[in-house]
Amino acid sequence: MAITGSPDALLSGQWLERQSATDLDTWTRQVVRRHFDPVSGSPFWLKRRGALGFDPFDITRYGELRAFGDLMPEVLREVDPVDLVPQGASGPPTGCVFESEGTMGRPCRVFLTEAMSAHRAAWRGAGLAAAGFRSGRTWVHATPGGPHPVGLGAAQVARSQESVVYRIDLDPRWIRRLIGAGRLAEVNRYVDHLTGQITDILSSTGVDYLETTPALFQALLRRRPELVAGLSGVWLSGTQILPAMYREFADALGGGLIGTAYENTFGGATGLPAEDGGDVLPYVPHYPQVTMDVVDRGDPSRTVEYGEVGRVRLTVLHEDLFLPGVLERDQAVRHRLPAGPPCDGVANIQPLQATWAVPEGIY
């Protein structure tokens, strides 16, 4: 079966109730002041303060973040990711740097602090629970690893769900390079390599759940439908799952769970129950640290109407990362959330532009 229950089931836990109840204007002031603190703020924003044309301490409401304009990926490709983190009184932070997929050129990099990682893990756990995934089960995770933050999911599930997790790595950048070069035979061989690893585990070990990308799950389904039918559920992380794919997966699982997540380097969104028989696949951003607007593709200053398709604009308001108005390479439908946090949802996410030169690949 697909995700069941009501959308507010995701927000029924005590932690998520507190998140949802956070006043966004108050939170905005708190985060802006932290990042522009002259002593302990983030070097990136302190260096840019004089060129803003306004005093950031005059920002009192979330809507006023528009004054910062759109933060283009080109800027984020050049910045030292450590400079985005408030320095605090104890000196420079320590930790790991993660990267975007690098679809449109050099990857963007983010320094993931312990607090940011905990925030992602809490939302993942809430999403799994709301979708009906049970703890103490066995998982296969076939997702990007290495520099990609989605690769943290396996360890998070192992801890929070008290689960055994088998891991399979995939390299989405290599897939894109092969597609862009027209080397489709090699693409198919690599996909066979990945599905072969998944098949080996599913056919020899008792596995309950699989986490992977929609594209790789579709490839597995077409190669080994009987193994897919034996799963109790699948968690799909990526940037594209279309209604037709969702319905195909639901039929193949024959009552198994489907959970979804819109994974993004800087912030994410968790899937809500499908609507209209799978025609609408909505997501709730990881509020209040992450919000998403859907804007006109030709005029980012205009937010589109509910039900209209536009470009995803991401705002990160984390204590350790402040990114107002990042124009993403994805498009979505602006979705009105029936319950939960006072922000917009997004639905039916897919690449803004997938061409032969800039392919979407397997993620």
Side-chain angles (χ1 to χ4, degrees):
M1 61 181 174
I3 301 176
T4 59
S6 61
D8 57 352
L10 177 62
L11 299 152
S12 60
Q14 188 177 40
W15 177 81
L16 283 170
E17 286 180 351
R18 291 197 302 270
Q19 295 289 101
S20 182
T22 300
D23 179 77
L24 193 53
D25 291 337
T26 302
W27 184 255
T28 296
R29 291 193 294 273
Q30 178 178 329
V31 171
V32 170
R33 279 154 179 71
R34 173 170 165 78
H35 282 268
F36 282 94
D37 185 284
V39 175
S40 59
S42 52
F44 172 81
W45 287 111
L46 292 177
K47 291 174 185 176
R48 293 170 68 94
R49 179 172 183 171
L52 291 176
F54 62 91
D55 187 346
F57 290 117
D58 289 339
I59 298 293
T60 61
R61 302 176 65 245
Y62 174 79
E64 294 170 354
L65 292 175
R66 289 289 184 93
F68 286 94
D70 296 320
L71 191 58
M72 304 304 291
E74 290 77 11
V75 175
L76 297 175
R77 291 190 186 105
E78 300 299 327
V79 65
D80 182 338
V82 177
D83 284 349
L84 292 168
V85 181
Q87 300 300 288
S90 58
T94 58
C96 293
V97 174
F98 291 87
E99 297 184 354
S100 68
E101 297 294 328
T103 305
M104 303 296 288
R106 290 175 54 205
C108 300
R109 295 182 172 89
V110 59
F111 186 99
L112 204 64
T113 67
E114 185 176 343
M116 292 167 64
S117 181
H119 179 246
R120 284 175 175 261
W123 270 97
R124 173 180 285 268
L128 289 168
F133 290 85
R134 301 176 64 182
S135 61
R137 299 301 193 264
T138 300
W139 286 76
V140 171
H141 271 237
T143 59
H148 309 296
V150 66
L152 295 172
Q156 291 169 347
V157 166
R159 289 193 300 268
S160 66
Q161 302 294 305
E162 300 176 338
S163 299
V164 173
V165 181
Y166 292 82
R167 302 186 67 175
I168 295 169
D169 186 28
L170 65 91
D171 187 347
R173 293 177 181 173
W174 182 239
I175 286 281
R176 288 199 182 98
R177 176 171 289 189
L178 292 176
I179 294 173
R183 296 156 61 182
L184 299 186
E186 291 180 62
V187 172
N188 290 330
R189 283 198 294 271
Y190 186 58
V191 172
D192 286 340
H193 170 66
L194 295 171
T195 56
Q197 293 177 74
I198 299 172
T199 295
D200 180 61
I201 299 173
L202 295 184
S203 60
S204 61
T205 307
V207 173
D208 302 288
Y209 304 133
L210 168 66
E211 176 171 352
T212 190
T213 70
L216 187 54
F217 185 64
Q218 189 172 55
L220 175 67
L221 171 59
R222 293 176 179 176
R223 286 165 171 80
R224 298 298 300 270
E226 78 284 0
L227 293 180
V228 169
L231 292 168
S232 297
V234 62
W235 184 266
L236 300 171
S237 302
T239 58
Q240 177 176 219
I241 175 171
L242 302 176
M245 297 171 70
Y246 184 88
R247 288 190 286 268
E248 178 187 6
F249 298 163
D251 289 343
L253 285 164
L257 301 168
I258 301 177
T260 57
Y262 171 34
E263 296 285 357
N264 185 287
T265 303
F266 297 111
T270 298
L272 295 171
E275 300 176 6
D276 299 335
D279 285 341
V280 178
L281 304 174
Y283 298 80
V284 55
H286 296 171
Y287 181 92
Q289 285 89 343
V290 177
T291 58
M292 295 175 182
D293 302 312
V294 182
V295 300
D296 189 296
R297 282 169 285 196
D299 179 12
S301 67
R302 184 185 78 86
T303 300
V304 304
E305 301 295 328
Y306 287 109
E308 189 178 345
V309 177
R311 187 173 186 175
V312 176
R313 181 171 57 196
L314 176 75
T315 294
V316 180
L317 283 169
H318 197 280
E319 298 96 323
D320 293 340
L321 184 65
F322 173 55
L323 299 175
V326 179
L327 288 174
E328 288 292 345
R329 61 180 178 84
D330 304 315
Q331 67 178 35
V333 174
R334 185 185 179 197
H335 185 73
R336 189 190 302 274
L337 296 174
C343 66
D344 282 346
V346 293
N348 295 13
I349 297 164
Q350 58 183 298
L352 184 67
Q353 181 182 26
T355 66
W356 191 263
V358 187
E360 181 60 18
I362 205 165
Y363 191 67

